[in-house]
Amino acid sequence: MFDLSGKVAVVTGGSGGAGRAIANGLALYGADIVVTSRTLSTLEETAAEVEKAGRKALPISCDVADADSVNQMVKKTLDEFGKIDILVTCAGIALRHPAEDMPIEEFEKVMDVNVKGTLLCCQAVAKDMIKREQGGKIITVGSIRGLQGHPAGYSGYGTSKGAVHMLTKQLATEWAKFKIRVNSIAPCIFYTPLTEPILNDPEMYKIFMQRIPLGRPAEPEDLVGAVVYLGSDASDMVTGVILYIDGGTSAW
Ligand SMILES: NC(=O)c1ccc[n+]([C@@H]2O[C@H](COP(=O)([O-])OP(=O)(O)OC[C@H]3O[C@@H](n4cnc5c(N)ncnc54)[C@H](O)[C@@H]3O)[C@@H](O)[C@H]2O)c1
């Protein structure tokens, strides 16, 4: 049920903490992987790990906020593999400021990458899925910050992730007729270079951990099981779900 042999998966943000773990996880379950990020050289390690798992890896440079770049990435993928079965939209940025001082250019940048970037990738991949009439699996990456406010300056990021959650439900509703399942994983804070400043600050660590019943941050590897499930036949009756990987945060 969880076997991904013969499947082709595109993972955007494939050089990041989450993207790398997810690309590896999907490869271990049998999928060939297209990893994308803006800078090609940052994808080398992920691609090498995928190949070590015995799968094909194709690194492609792509700015998810740029429609032409996204369309080219999908074209290159189709030229090489002929199809896309799974899309994971991991590319994302977080710019935090107190709400009263949130620079509008930064707000727009976050919305551009996290919301517009997610929609552009979903659109470009879904067009091929619709044409092939074989359905497909799309997994967006939301966040617990898309559900709950937080005092640490998330007016841009949290708003963008709330939009990703709603976009996921909307796409699931519209594309069910094409057998395209669209779900989201919504993690709590996990260890990446991006979150090191927060997790290495004892005061901030305490504030963040107080909200997580399991009492620890996630690890990028904690996301893999959910993505394999949502990318495989095991989740064929599941669409429009926001799956929180949050140590129980959303239960409070
Ligand atoms: N780290 C956390 O605690 C946390 C928690 C919840 C959700 N998330 C989400 O998980 C996803 C991955 O985050 P991460 O922690 O691995 O971050 P990361 O910074 O390690 O990775 C982000 C990736 O996105 C890519 N990226 C950024 N802007 C891009 C653009 N315009 N075009 C293409 N690629 C671009 C980067 O190159 C990188 O590969 C993000 O969507 C993030 O919002 C992270």
Side-chain angles (χ1 to χ4, degrees):
M1 241 197 262
F2 296 94
D3 185 15
L4 300 177
S5 304
K7 307 273 187 199
V8 176
V10 172
V11 181
T12 71
S15 62
R20 188 170 161 184
I22 287 168
N24 265 308
L26 292 172
L28 284 174
Y29 278 79
D32 292 325
I33 309 289
V34 176
V35 273
T36 84
S37 196
R38 275 164 308 176
T39 315
L40 204 56
S41 57
T42 62
L43 295 165
E44 278 167 13
E45 282 177 37
T46 311
E49 284 164 357
V50 166
E51 280 168 358
K52 209 168 150 199
R55 307 312 319 164
K56 285 188 198 151
L58 176 64
I60 302 178
S61 138
C62 169
D63 179 349
V64 297
D66 177 333
D68 288 342
S69 180
V70 170
N71 289 333
Q72 284 206 9
M73 177 272 286
V74 169
K75 186 179 176 308
K76 276 185 202 160
T77 302
L78 295 175
D79 286 349
E80 175 74 19
F81 291 110
K83 62 169 187 167
I84 298 170
D85 301 293
I86 301 165
L87 167 68
V88 189
T89 60
C90 243
I93 54 170
L95 304 170
R96 293 187 296 117
H97 296 280
E100 63 277 21
D101 292 324
M102 181 73 195
I104 290 307
E105 315 75 58
E106 292 199 16
F107 181 88
E108 286 173 345
K109 198 167 174 207
V110 171
M111 299 298 281
D112 239 31
V113 176
N114 295 3
V115 186
K116 188 175 94 181
T118 300
L119 176 62
L120 285 174
C121 292
C122 291
Q123 279 181 323
V125 168
K127 274 185 186 145
D128 172 64
M129 288 176 171
I130 292 168
K131 202 159 72 186
R132 282 194 309 115
E133 298 184 349
Q134 299 295 313
K137 303 275 187 171
I138 294 179
I139 301 140
T140 64
V141 179
S143 168
I144 187 65
R145 297 280 73 83
L147 177 75
Q148 296 179 339
H150 192 287
Y154 286 101
S155 58
Y157 182 78
T159 306
S160 77
K161 291 298 181 176
V164 168
H165 293 185
M166 194 55 228
L167 177 63
T168 303
K169 294 184 195 184
Q170 185 60 34
L171 300 181
T173 310
E174 289 195 39
W175 293 345
K177 61 177 179 281
F178 303 120
K179 297 191 170 39
I180 301 172
R181 283 79 167 177
V182 192
N183 295 289
S184 192
I185 55 163
C188 63
I189 192 162
F190 57 87
Y191 282 102
T192 68
L194 201 77
T195 54
E196 253 172 37
I198 295 176
L199 295 172
N200 288 342
D201 174 341
E203 205 46 48
M204 286 296 262
Y205 185 90
K206 214 167 112 192
I207 292 172
F208 273 76
M209 288 318 111
Q210 274 165 357
R211 292 163 167 257
I212 304 177
L214 284 181
R216 68 163 177 89
E219 301 282 349
E221 288 69 24
D222 286 319
L223 314 184
V224 172
V227 174
V228 170
Y229 167 65
L230 292 174
S232 71
D233 294 351
S235 60
D236 270 358
M237 194 55 187
V238 177
T239 196
V241 161
I242 314 301
L243 178 49
Y244 289 96
I245 304 173
D246 64 352
T249 312
S250 52
W252 275 5

